[in-house]
Amino acid sequence: MSNNIDNEIAQGYADFADETDATVENSENNPASVDNGFVFTESEMSDINRKLRACFDGRIVRKDLTKSIKEGANVPVYVLEFLLGQYCSSDEPTVIEEGVANVKRILADNYVRPDEAQKILSMLRQRGSYTVIDKITVNLNIKKDTYEAEFSNLGIKAIPISENYPSQYDRLLCGGIWCIVQLEYEYIEEDKGASPIHIRKLTPIQMPHVDIDELKQGRKAFTKEEWMDVMLRSIGMEPDNLSYREKWLLLARMLPLVENNFNLCELGPRSTGKSHIFKEISPNSILVSGGQTTVANLFYNMGRKTVGLVGLWDCVAFDEVAGINFKDKDGIQIMKDYMASGSFARGKEEKAASASMVFVGNINQSVDVLLKTSSLFDPFPPEMGTDTAFLDRMHCYIPGWEIPKFRPHHFTNDYGFITDYLAEFIRELRKEQYGDALDKYFRLGKNLNQRDTIAVRKMVGGFIKLLYPDGEFTKEQLEEILKISLEMRRRVKEQLKKLGGMEFYDVNFSYFDNETFEELYVSVPEQGGGKLIPEGMCNPGQVYTVSQGKTGMLGVFRLESQMLPGNGKFERSGLGSDTKCKEATTTAFNFLKANANRISGSISTTTKDYIINYQDLQGIGMTNKLALPTLIALASVALGKPTQSSLAVLGEISIAGTMIKVDELANSLQVCLDSGAKKVLLPITSAADLGTVPSELIGCFNLIFYQSAEDAVFKALGVE
């Protein structure tokens, strides 16, 4: 650390302590590296805490103290923890209690609430001096050749400030930082144009420097699980009350803070803490609430020739994505450009920035419903949520619905890094790159295009920085990171496939082990598992078909049939009042009555009754292309013979048995693949369209062509 800066902060704190009459034991420790000072007995001290004490003494704080005050004070966490580190550095519970009381008093007396700004200015005028805690931004007034400070909550501007401060703490010039400021008030009658308010002393509540080598050295003392718990406790979470999967998802939220130009999306239920980390934990990120923004504010103001938020912050997070609205027509285009390349063009210049983009919002329906009816990007405004070019730029999609709604027991009372220390070393790690670490042991599968590869490498690099900042990890540990990275990107790709069709057919992400050359596939939990078309033989009369539903989307439909003694009745359920669907099923039954003998002499349409139940498996509205599937289902149940295993029926027939070719063949085959089909029954008339289907997709199936309606029945039942 720079001695000058250390001394500055130390002196600033000393002055502040004097002014607030704090009754706290004086410490010779450097206040910049704040020490919480708690001493454990052997029995109380866990393994992790013992290691933290040994390796990061002075960098940790008890999070329950932060929590107890935070609930009653609307002040950022890093401001609180700075004060707690100063006032609660003692072994004695009574002194800790006094320290907490002091912090509360300081916040009550000195933290500026916007609604009390005038009251504080009045007290400043009466007393002649006053100490405040506020967010300070400094601007250079070129006309006067002076630096001027702006106080966020106090609401005052153009306050003269010594040029020493912006030269020492350049963040004052880049969006502002929280500070302890000693103000003086002196009104001079002769100089009415000058501000009566002056800054006597300014002390940032932020660490000016972090020793990254110290961090890397300290990391070596912890196991992976222990370090993961330390990182989660540092952001206020209690890992003991989270599942292993939930821990990984919470860690993923930190990726935009540790990676440059990382685009992340998280949609999920309310109260899962989606925006918490970007608002409270890191002083290097900004949360844009309300959604309304401008190109000038976000990227570049051509009038003032100043860079917007992406140039001032490490991470720009948009809260409530449903409300994102650009006043400028070209806003989304510029955002797409920036998300892809990390640069944007305004006027005659091209500007580069490294800020990550984060989009968080609420899902109002269940995931199952969204997957059936639209896409997981549905909460986005239409100009974003249906723009595949925009969504393709998302590196990572965190499944927010898997994170629990936070309750008091999810927040830790244990020790973690001081938020400021955490934020600074994370910021320092942005300079390092680990994206190529996977090349030593693995290579990515052929279904990953360039954007997929970049996204996965960024995530791998980010997780390594968070979990193994010393760069030491095993092949197994790297494989674990690679799997979750592939899953997070595949979630984006799966939704793109829904929206963009065959352009994004290659979603079967995989990786190869460089030693064994084995190809391993990675699935997405909400898509995989329960395949709609099961493996193995179905019951007679059970048929699966893929076609367009009422909404225009492609989906899977199941027919289940029964045959009873009777007099040739045909009953249908699951179709509601849809006349077109009923007509298609009637066509099938009439065709069977006319041509039963050509299929099999044992089929009776006069002494048996038939019942078929139709199911829309994906909630997209029932299809009216039901004649051929119904015919196959009737023949299957009449003969007591099941269809071939994992079979999907495509195509349709007219009343005369004429074959109707498949619309959107490539997309239909993709749906078959996603649904678990291994064999596909196709009309020979669709053979000409196979040229539009990627060869990789064709290779996934056993394609069975039929020449007529009767031929379709024979081949579906596996009769030669």
Side-chain angles (χ1 to χ4, degrees), residues 28-79:
E28 292 181 3
N29 287 340
N30 177 0
S33 48
V34 257
D35 188 355
N36 60 13
F38 298 110
V39 175
F40 303 87
T41 64
E42 277 305 307
S43 59
E44 295 176 312
M45 198 172 183
S46 74
D47 236 14
I48 295 181
N49 291 339
R50 196 178 295 111
K51 290 177 182 179
L52 278 173
R53 202 50 148 164
C55 304
F56 297 102
D57 195 25
R59 310 275 193 252
I60 53 174
V61 71
R62 226 175 72 193
K63 296 290 176 174
D64 61 329
L65 297 180
T66 307
K67 192 165 59 175
S68 65
I69 302 177
K70 175 64 185 164
E71 286 166 359
N74 190 17
V75 57
V77 169
Y78 44 91
V79 174

Short mmCIF file of all heavy atoms in Angstrom, two decimals, residues 28-79:
data_model
loop_
_atom_site.label_atom_id
_atom_site.label_comp_id
_atom_site.label_asym_id
_atom_site.label_seq_id
_atom_site.Cartn_x
_atom_site.Cartn_y
_atom_site.Cartn_z
N GLU A 28 -3.26 1.21 17.09
CA GLU A 28 -2.17 1.64 16.24
C GLU A 28 -2.22 0.99 14.87
O GLU A 28 -1.40 1.27 14.01
CB GLU A 28 -0.83 1.31 16.91
CG GLU A 28 -0.59 2.15 18.16
CD GLU A 28 0.75 1.85 18.82
OE1 GLU A 28 1.51 1.04 18.28
OE2 GLU A 28 1.01 2.42 19.90
N ASN A 29 -3.16 0.06 14.70
CA ASN A 29 -3.27 -0.60 13.41
C ASN A 29 -3.63 0.40 12.32
O ASN A 29 -4.30 1.38 12.58
CB ASN A 29 -4.36 -1.68 13.44
CG ASN A 29 -3.92 -2.88 14.22
OD1 ASN A 29 -2.73 -3.09 14.41
ND2 ASN A 29 -4.87 -3.68 14.66
N ASN A 30 -3.18 0.14 11.13
CA ASN A 30 -3.54 0.97 9.98
C ASN A 30 -5.03 0.86 9.71
O ASN A 30 -5.52 -0.21 9.40
CB ASN A 30 -2.74 0.48 8.77
CG ASN A 30 -3.09 1.22 7.53
OD1 ASN A 30 -3.92 2.11 7.53
ND2 ASN A 30 -2.46 0.87 6.45
N PRO A 31 -5.78 1.96 9.85
CA PRO A 31 -7.22 1.87 9.64
C PRO A 31 -7.63 1.46 8.23
O PRO A 31 -8.73 1.04 8.04
CB PRO A 31 -7.71 3.29 9.94
CG PRO A 31 -6.64 3.90 10.74
CD PRO A 31 -5.36 3.28 10.30
N ALA A 32 -6.73 1.61 7.29
CA ALA A 32 -7.08 1.19 5.93
C ALA A 32 -7.29 -0.30 5.86
O ALA A 32 -8.10 -0.81 5.10
CB ALA A 32 -5.99 1.61 4.97
N SER A 33 -6.53 -1.05 6.65
CA SER A 33 -6.75 -2.49 6.68
C SER A 33 -7.47 -2.80 7.99
O SER A 33 -6.88 -3.27 8.93
CB SER A 33 -5.42 -3.23 6.58
OG SER A 33 -4.50 -2.73 7.43
N VAL A 34 -8.73 -2.50 8.05
CA VAL A 34 -9.51 -2.51 9.28
C VAL A 34 -9.52 -3.87 9.94
O VAL A 34 -9.69 -4.89 9.30
CB VAL A 34 -10.95 -2.06 9.03
CG1 VAL A 34 -11.15 -0.71 9.46
CG2 VAL A 34 -11.36 -2.21 7.64
N ASP A 35 -9.38 -3.89 11.26
CA ASP A 35 -9.34 -5.11 12.03
C ASP A 35 -10.58 -5.20 12.90
O ASP A 35 -10.89 -4.30 13.66
CB ASP A 35 -8.07 -5.10 12.91
CG ASP A 35 -7.85 -6.43 13.61
OD1 ASP A 35 -8.72 -7.30 13.49
OD2 ASP A 35 -6.83 -6.58 14.29
N ASN A 36 -11.29 -6.30 12.82
CA ASN A 36 -12.47 -6.44 13.66
C ASN A 36 -12.10 -6.78 15.09
O ASN A 36 -12.90 -6.63 15.99
CB ASN A 36 -13.42 -7.48 13.09
CG ASN A 36 -12.77 -8.82 12.98
OD1 ASN A 36 -11.71 -9.06 13.52
ND2 ASN A 36 -13.41 -9.71 12.30
N GLY A 37 -10.92 -7.35 15.28
CA GLY A 37 -10.36 -7.54 16.60
C GLY A 37 -10.98 -8.60 17.46
O GLY A 37 -10.66 -8.71 18.64
N PHE A 38 -11.85 -9.45 17.00
CA PHE A 38 -12.47 -10.46 17.83
C PHE A 38 -11.52 -11.61 18.09
O PHE A 38 -10.82 -12.06 17.19
CB PHE A 38 -13.74 -11.00 17.18
CG PHE A 38 -14.78 -9.96 16.99
CD1 PHE A 38 -15.10 -9.52 15.74
CD2 PHE A 38 -15.42 -9.39 18.07
CE1 PHE A 38 -16.05 -8.56 15.55
CE2 PHE A 38 -16.37 -8.42 17.89
CZ PHE A 38 -16.68 -7.99 16.64
N VAL A 39 -11.51 -12.08 19.32
CA VAL A 39 -10.66 -13.21 19.68
C VAL A 39 -11.55 -14.38 20.06
O VAL A 39 -12.46 -14.25 20.87
CB VAL A 39 -9.72 -12.84 20.85
CG1 VAL A 39 -8.93 -14.05 21.28
CG2 VAL A 39 -8.78 -11.71 20.43
N PHE A 40 -11.28 -15.52 19.52
CA PHE A 40 -12.07 -16.72 19.79
C PHE A 40 -11.37 -17.57 20.83
O PHE A 40 -10.14 -17.58 20.93
CB PHE A 40 -12.17 -17.60 18.54
CG PHE A 40 -12.75 -16.93 17.36
CD1 PHE A 40 -11.96 -16.21 16.48
CD2 PHE A 40 -14.08 -17.01 17.11
CE1 PHE A 40 -12.49 -15.60 15.38
CE2 PHE A 40 -14.62 -16.41 15.99
CZ PHE A 40 -13.82 -15.71 15.13
N THR A 41 -12.13 -18.32 21.57
CA THR A 41 -11.56 -19.41 22.34
C THR A 41 -11.45 -20.60 21.41
O THR A 41 -12.14 -20.67 20.39
CB THR A 41 -12.46 -19.76 23.53
OG1 THR A 41 -13.72 -20.26 23.01
CG2 THR A 41 -12.75 -18.55 24.41
N GLU A 42 -10.59 -21.58 21.76
CA GLU A 42 -10.37 -22.73 20.89
C GLU A 42 -11.67 -23.45 20.60
O GLU A 42 -11.89 -23.93 19.50
CB GLU A 42 -9.37 -23.72 21.52
CG GLU A 42 -7.93 -23.40 21.33
CD GLU A 42 -7.49 -23.21 19.88
OE1 GLU A 42 -7.75 -24.08 19.09
OE2 GLU A 42 -6.93 -22.17 19.58
N SER A 43 -12.53 -23.55 21.61
CA SER A 43 -13.77 -24.30 21.43
C SER A 43 -14.73 -23.59 20.50
O SER A 43 -15.47 -24.21 19.75
CB SER A 43 -14.44 -24.53 22.80
OG SER A 43 -14.69 -23.27 23.41
N GLU A 44 -14.76 -22.23 20.55
CA GLU A 44 -15.69 -21.47 19.73
C GLU A 44 -15.25 -21.35 18.28
O GLU A 44 -16.06 -21.21 17.37
CB GLU A 44 -15.83 -20.03 20.26
CG GLU A 44 -16.41 -19.86 21.59
CD GLU A 44 -16.39 -18.42 22.05
OE1 GLU A 44 -15.34 -17.79 21.92
OE2 GLU A 44 -17.42 -17.95 22.52
N MET A 45 -13.98 -21.43 18.08
CA MET A 45 -13.42 -21.07 16.78
C MET A 45 -13.44 -22.25 15.82
O MET A 45 -12.85 -23.28 16.05
CB MET A 45 -12.00 -20.58 17.00
CG MET A 45 -11.44 -19.79 15.87
SD MET A 45 -9.87 -19.11 16.38
CE MET A 45 -9.42 -18.17 14.99
N SER A 46 -14.16 -22.11 14.74
CA SER A 46 -14.21 -23.17 13.76
C SER A 46 -12.91 -23.20 12.97
O SER A 46 -12.11 -22.27 13.03
CB SER A 46 -15.38 -22.95 12.82
OG SER A 46 -15.08 -21.89 11.92
N ASP A 47 -12.74 -24.28 12.21
CA ASP A 47 -11.54 -24.43 11.39
C ASP A 47 -11.37 -23.28 10.41
O ASP A 47 -10.29 -22.72 10.24
CB ASP A 47 -11.65 -25.75 10.61
CG ASP A 47 -10.47 -26.62 10.86
OD1 ASP A 47 -9.71 -26.33 11.81
OD2 ASP A 47 -10.29 -27.59 10.10
N ILE A 48 -12.50 -22.93 9.75
CA ILE A 48 -12.46 -21.85 8.76
C ILE A 48 -12.06 -20.54 9.41
O ILE A 48 -11.20 -19.80 8.92
CB ILE A 48 -13.82 -21.71 8.05
CG1 ILE A 48 -14.14 -22.96 7.24
CG2 ILE A 48 -13.82 -20.49 7.14
CD1 ILE A 48 -15.47 -22.90 6.49
N ASN A 49 -12.69 -20.24 10.54
CA ASN A 49 -12.40 -18.98 11.22
C ASN A 49 -10.97 -18.90 11.70
O ASN A 49 -10.34 -17.85 11.69
CB ASN A 49 -13.37 -18.77 12.38
CG ASN A 49 -14.78 -18.50 11.90
OD1 ASN A 49 -14.98 -18.08 10.75
ND2 ASN A 49 -15.77 -18.73 12.74
N ARG A 50 -10.44 -20.08 12.14
CA ARG A 50 -9.05 -20.12 12.59
C ARG A 50 -8.11 -19.78 11.43
O ARG A 50 -7.16 -19.02 11.57
CB ARG A 50 -8.74 -21.51 13.15
CG ARG A 50 -7.46 -21.56 13.99
CD ARG A 50 -7.21 -22.95 14.57
NE ARG A 50 -8.23 -23.33 15.52
CZ ARG A 50 -9.14 -24.31 15.32
NH1 ARG A 50 -9.12 -24.99 14.20
NH2 ARG A 50 -10.04 -24.60 16.23
N LYS A 51 -8.42 -20.35 10.27
CA LYS A 51 -7.60 -20.07 9.08
C LYS A 51 -7.74 -18.61 8.64
O LYS A 51 -6.77 -17.97 8.25
CB LYS A 51 -8.01 -21.01 7.93
CG LYS A 51 -7.60 -22.46 8.16
CD LYS A 51 -8.10 -23.34 7.01
CE LYS A 51 -7.76 -24.80 7.24
NZ LYS A 51 -8.28 -25.66 6.14
N LEU A 52 -8.97 -18.08 8.71
CA LEU A 52 -9.19 -16.68 8.35
C LEU A 52 -8.38 -15.77 9.25
O LEU A 52 -7.78 -14.80 8.80
CB LEU A 52 -10.68 -16.33 8.46
CG LEU A 52 -11.57 -16.70 7.27
CD1 LEU A 52 -13.03 -16.44 7.62
CD2 LEU A 52 -11.19 -15.90 6.02
N ARG A 53 -8.38 -16.10 10.53
CA ARG A 53 -7.63 -15.31 11.51
C ARG A 53 -6.14 -15.33 11.21
O ARG A 53 -5.47 -14.31 11.29
CB ARG A 53 -7.90 -15.88 12.90
CG ARG A 53 -7.69 -14.98 14.04
CD ARG A 53 -8.34 -13.77 13.82
NE ARG A 53 -8.83 -13.13 14.99
CZ ARG A 53 -9.19 -11.90 15.01
NH1 ARG A 53 -9.07 -11.16 13.97
NH2 ARG A 53 -9.70 -11.35 16.05
N ALA A 54 -5.66 -16.52 10.84
CA ALA A 54 -4.22 -16.67 10.59
C ALA A 54 -3.79 -15.99 9.30
O ALA A 54 -2.72 -15.37 9.25
CB ALA A 54 -3.87 -18.16 10.55
N CYS A 55 -4.63 -16.08 8.25
CA CYS A 55 -4.22 -15.60 6.92
C CYS A 55 -4.72 -14.21 6.58
O CYS A 55 -4.10 -13.50 5.78
CB CYS A 55 -4.70 -16.57 5.84
SG CYS A 55 -4.14 -18.25 6.06
N PHE A 56 -5.87 -13.82 7.14
CA PHE A 56 -6.47 -12.55 6.74
C PHE A 56 -6.85 -11.71 7.95
O PHE A 56 -7.91 -11.07 7.97
CB PHE A 56 -7.71 -12.81 5.86
CG PHE A 56 -7.40 -13.50 4.57
CD1 PHE A 56 -7.64 -14.84 4.41
CD2 PHE A 56 -6.85 -12.79 3.50
CE1 PHE A 56 -7.34 -15.49 3.21
CE2 PHE A 56 -6.56 -13.42 2.30
CZ PHE A 56 -6.80 -14.78 2.16
N ASP A 57 -6.01 -11.73 8.96
CA ASP A 57 -6.28 -10.93 10.14
C ASP A 57 -6.38 -9.45 9.74
O ASP A 57 -5.53 -8.92 9.04
CB ASP A 57 -5.15 -11.11 11.17
CG ASP A 57 -5.56 -10.59 12.54
OD1 ASP A 57 -6.77 -10.55 12.81
OD2 ASP A 57 -4.69 -10.21 13.33
N GLY A 58 -7.42 -8.80 10.21
CA GLY A 58 -7.61 -7.41 9.83
C GLY A 58 -8.43 -7.23 8.56
O GLY A 58 -8.69 -6.11 8.14
N ARG A 59 -8.79 -8.34 7.91
CA ARG A 59 -9.58 -8.26 6.67
C ARG A 59 -10.95 -8.89 6.83
O ARG A 59 -11.68 -9.02 5.87
CB ARG A 59 -8.85 -9.00 5.53
CG ARG A 59 -7.38 -8.63 5.34
CD ARG A 59 -7.30 -7.43 4.47
NE ARG A 59 -5.97 -7.17 3.98
CZ ARG A 59 -5.19 -6.20 4.38
NH1 ARG A 59 -5.63 -5.38 5.32
NH2 ARG A 59 -4.00 -6.00 3.89
N ILE A 60 -11.28 -9.32 8.07
CA ILE A 60 -12.56 -10.01 8.27
C ILE A 60 -13.41 -9.26 9.29
O ILE A 60 -12.90 -8.49 10.10
CB ILE A 60 -12.34 -11.48 8.72
CG1 ILE A 60 -11.42 -11.56 9.95
CG2 ILE A 60 -11.77 -12.30 7.58
CD1 ILE A 60 -11.28 -12.95 10.54
N VAL A 61 -14.70 -9.51 9.22
CA VAL A 61 -15.65 -8.84 10.11
C VAL A 61 -16.79 -9.81 10.42
O VAL A 61 -17.09 -10.70 9.62
CB VAL A 61 -16.18 -7.54 9.47
CG1 VAL A 61 -17.12 -7.84 8.31
CG2 VAL A 61 -16.89 -6.65 10.47
N ARG A 62 -17.38 -9.63 11.61
CA ARG A 62 -18.50 -10.48 11.97
C ARG A 62 -19.77 -9.93 11.33
O ARG A 62 -20.17 -8.81 11.59
CB ARG A 62 -18.65 -10.52 13.50
CG ARG A 62 -18.85 -11.91 14.02
CD ARG A 62 -18.89 -12.00 15.49
NE ARG A 62 -20.11 -11.45 16.06
CZ ARG A 62 -20.26 -11.18 17.34
NH1 ARG A 62 -19.27 -11.41 18.17
NH2 ARG A 62 -21.39 -10.68 17.79
N LYS A 63 -20.36 -10.74 10.47
CA LYS A 63 -21.45 -10.27 9.63
C LYS A 63 -22.76 -10.03 10.39
O LYS A 63 -23.62 -9.30 9.92
CB LYS A 63 -21.70 -11.26 8.49
CG LYS A 63 -20.52 -11.39 7.51
CD LYS A 63 -20.34 -10.14 6.68
CE LYS A 63 -19.11 -10.23 5.78
NZ LYS A 63 -18.99 -9.09 4.86
N ASP A 64 -22.91 -10.63 11.60
CA ASP A 64 -24.15 -10.39 12.34
C ASP A 64 -24.23 -8.95 12.84
O ASP A 64 -25.31 -8.38 12.97
CB ASP A 64 -24.31 -11.39 13.48
CG ASP A 64 -23.18 -11.30 14.49
OD1 ASP A 64 -22.06 -10.96 14.08
OD2 ASP A 64 -23.41 -11.57 15.68
N LEU A 65 -23.04 -8.35 13.13
CA LEU A 65 -23.03 -6.95 13.55
C LEU A 65 -23.50 -6.06 12.39
O LEU A 65 -24.27 -5.13 12.57
CB LEU A 65 -21.63 -6.53 14.00
CG LEU A 65 -21.07 -7.26 15.22
CD1 LEU A 65 -19.69 -6.74 15.55
CD2 LEU A 65 -21.99 -7.09 16.42
N THR A 66 -22.98 -6.37 11.20
CA THR A 66 -23.41 -5.62 10.01
C THR A 66 -24.91 -5.73 9.85
O THR A 66 -25.60 -4.74 9.62
CB THR A 66 -22.72 -6.19 8.75
OG1 THR A 66 -21.31 -6.23 8.94
CG2 THR A 66 -23.04 -5.36 7.53
N LYS A 67 -25.40 -6.96 9.98
CA LYS A 67 -26.82 -7.24 9.74
C LYS A 67 -27.70 -6.51 10.75
O LYS A 67 -28.72 -5.93 10.40
CB LYS A 67 -27.04 -8.75 9.82
CG LYS A 67 -28.38 -9.23 9.32
CD LYS A 67 -28.41 -10.72 9.09
CE LYS A 67 -28.10 -11.50 10.34
NZ LYS A 67 -28.24 -12.96 10.17
N SER A 68 -27.27 -6.52 12.03
CA SER A 68 -28.10 -5.94 13.08
C SER A 68 -28.29 -4.44 12.88
O SER A 68 -29.33 -3.89 13.21
CB SER A 68 -27.49 -6.21 14.46
OG SER A 68 -26.24 -5.53 14.57
N ILE A 69 -27.26 -3.75 12.35
CA ILE A 69 -27.37 -2.31 12.14
C ILE A 69 -28.00 -2.01 10.78
O ILE A 69 -28.76 -1.07 10.63
CB ILE A 69 -25.99 -1.63 12.24
CG1 ILE A 69 -25.37 -1.91 13.60
CG2 ILE A 69 -26.12 -0.13 12.01
CD1 ILE A 69 -23.99 -1.34 13.79
N LYS A 70 -27.66 -2.83 9.81
CA LYS A 70 -28.13 -2.60 8.44
C LYS A 70 -29.64 -2.55 8.38
O LYS A 70 -30.23 -1.78 7.62
CB LYS A 70 -27.58 -3.70 7.52
CG LYS A 70 -28.07 -3.66 6.08
CD LYS A 70 -27.62 -2.39 5.37
CE LYS A 70 -28.23 -2.30 3.98
NZ LYS A 70 -28.16 -0.98 3.39
N GLU A 71 -30.28 -3.37 9.21
CA GLU A 71 -31.74 -3.42 9.16
C GLU A 71 -32.39 -2.09 9.54
O GLU A 71 -33.50 -1.80 9.17
CB GLU A 71 -32.24 -4.55 10.08
CG GLU A 71 -31.99 -5.93 9.44
CD GLU A 71 -32.15 -7.08 10.41
OE1 GLU A 71 -32.44 -6.82 11.57
OE2 GLU A 71 -31.94 -8.25 10.00
N GLY A 72 -31.65 -1.27 10.30
CA GLY A 72 -32.24 0.00 10.71
C GLY A 72 -31.60 1.21 10.07
O GLY A 72 -31.95 2.34 10.37
N ALA A 73 -30.60 1.01 9.21
CA ALA A 73 -29.90 2.14 8.59
C ALA A 73 -29.79 1.92 7.09
O ALA A 73 -29.26 0.92 6.64
CB ALA A 73 -28.49 2.28 9.19
N ASN A 74 -30.27 2.86 6.34
CA ASN A 74 -30.24 2.74 4.88
C ASN A 74 -28.91 3.25 4.36
O ASN A 74 -28.81 4.29 3.73
CB ASN A 74 -31.39 3.53 4.28
CG ASN A 74 -31.54 3.24 2.80
OD1 ASN A 74 -31.02 2.25 2.29
ND2 ASN A 74 -32.21 4.12 2.10
N VAL A 75 -27.88 2.49 4.60
CA VAL A 75 -26.52 2.89 4.23
C VAL A 75 -25.82 1.67 3.62
O VAL A 75 -26.06 0.54 4.07
CB VAL A 75 -25.77 3.44 5.48
CG1 VAL A 75 -25.75 2.42 6.56
CG2 VAL A 75 -24.38 3.88 5.17
N PRO A 76 -25.00 1.84 2.58
CA PRO A 76 -24.35 0.68 1.98
C PRO A 76 -23.53 -0.14 2.98
O PRO A 76 -22.97 0.40 3.93
CB PRO A 76 -23.43 1.31 0.92
CG PRO A 76 -24.05 2.61 0.61
CD PRO A 76 -24.65 3.09 1.88
N VAL A 77 -23.45 -1.43 2.71
CA VAL A 77 -22.77 -2.36 3.61
C VAL A 77 -21.32 -1.97 3.84
O VAL A 77 -20.80 -2.03 4.96
CB VAL A 77 -22.86 -3.79 3.05
CG1 VAL A 77 -21.96 -4.74 3.82
CG2 VAL A 77 -24.30 -4.28 3.10
N TYR A 78 -20.64 -1.53 2.74
CA TYR A 78 -19.21 -1.24 2.90
C TYR A 78 -18.97 -0.03 3.80
O TYR A 78 -17.91 0.08 4.41
CB TYR A 78 -18.51 -1.09 1.55
CG TYR A 78 -19.25 -0.27 0.51
CD1 TYR A 78 -19.06 1.08 0.38
CD2 TYR A 78 -20.12 -0.89 -0.36
CE1 TYR A 78 -19.74 1.82 -0.57
CE2 TYR A 78 -20.81 -0.15 -1.32
CZ TYR A 78 -20.62 1.20 -1.42
OH TYR A 78 -21.28 1.92 -2.36
N VAL A 79 -19.93 0.88 3.91
CA VAL A 79 -19.82 2.00 4.84
C VAL A 79 -19.92 1.48 6.27
O VAL A 79 -19.13 1.83 7.14
CB VAL A 79 -20.92 3.05 4.56
CG1 VAL A 79 -20.90 4.15 5.60
CG2 VAL A 79 -20.77 3.63 3.16
#
